[in-house]
Amino acid sequence: MNQRPNNGPPGSVRIIAGHLRGSKLPVPDRPGLRPSSDRVRETLFNWLQPHLHGARVLDLFAGTGALGFEAVSRGAAEVLLVERDPELARSLREQATRLKVDQVKVLAEDALSWLGRSPGQAFDLVFLDPPFAAGLWEPAAAALAPWLAPGALIYVECPRNVVPTLPKGWTLHREGHTRDVHFALHRAGG
């Protein structure tokens, strides 16, 4: 389902807080592109605020980049946006340049293929919010282990009626839901 974000004109989503507060990100009309709503992002980043300063962040299915740009706006040290759609990746690079955020890097690659490589770094926070119809939560979660710093936080967003099987070492930290989505923050073991 292609939903438009709350509280903004169709075709854009706004950054809620931090030094980029109020900046708008374009939301192109693409199948499966469904930015997290303002309400969900606000709740998530309230949970994350104590963990963001200096964090290394991975946004695996970046889409509009709303989660990654929100993280850098609130103090993340580095954000890697992985997006397989070349036009969306180009747009993400343009937004990083426009917003003057050098800590945001964009990879135009398939997330699962990229996760299959040897990790070059470990991430403190991962956003796992793939296109709902693709059903990629479980394979992506299973491939994340070597990329996670000890005690890393992993955010998972899925349809309210979907319960993905996540790795045994992950513990639920916080969760919430809207009429349409379930969202949860997990902590990796180790």
Side-chain angles (χ1 to χ4, degrees):
M1 180 161 60
N2 198 9
Q3 300 173 342
R4 292 293 182 203
N6 303 353
N7 304 325
S12 70
V13 63
R14 70 179 174 88
I15 297 173
I16 298 168
H19 74 277
L20 299 175
R21 180 183 180 164
S23 299
K24 292 182 181 173
L25 302 169
V27 180
D29 188 13
R30 288 277 201 280
L33 186 60
R34 175 210 35 80
S36 300
S37 72
D38 283 3
R39 177 178 158 215
V40 168
R41 283 185 294 116
E42 188 161 9
T43 299
L44 168 63
F45 282 94
N46 284 340
W47 296 344
L48 289 175
Q49 196 56 50
H51 310 283
L52 282 173
H53 183 74
R56 296 177 81 179
V57 178
L58 172 62
D59 189 347
L60 265 180
F61 302 90
T64 64
L67 295 174
F69 283 108
E70 190 77 44
V72 81
S73 181
R74 295 177 185 234
E78 297 175 37
V79 175
L80 179 61
L81 305 175
V82 180
E83 174 53 55
R84 76 176 185 176
D85 182 310
E87 288 301 310
L88 289 175
R90 181 187 52 73
S91 177
L92 291 169
R93 286 186 189 99
E94 289 171 358
Q95 298 317 307
T97 300
R98 178 180 65 85
L99 297 171
K100 298 179 173 89
V101 284
D102 294 337
Q103 34 314 33
V104 172
K105 303 295 181 223
V106 179
L107 286 178
E109 295 193 41
D110 176 79
L112 293 181
S113 296
W114 183 78
L115 285 171
R117 298 180 184 171
S118 294
Q121 58 188 321
F123 294 95
D124 306 302
L125 171 62
V126 176
F127 297 121
L128 182 53
D129 181 16
F132 285 0
L136 297 172
W137 300 277
E138 293 169 2
L144 270 173
W147 295 92
L148 299 175
L153 293 168
I154 305 99
Y155 170 73
V156 179
E157 186 173 322
C158 57
R160 190 164 175 173
N161 63 341
V162 171
V163 181
T165 302
L166 301 173
K168 290 185 191 228
W170 293 11
T171 55
L172 181 63
H173 182 62
R174 304 283 298 263
E175 68 181 326
H177 66 281
T178 66
R179 185 175 48 115
D180 299 320
V181 302
H182 178 262
F183 55 99
L185 192 60
H186 301 267
R187 185 175 296 278

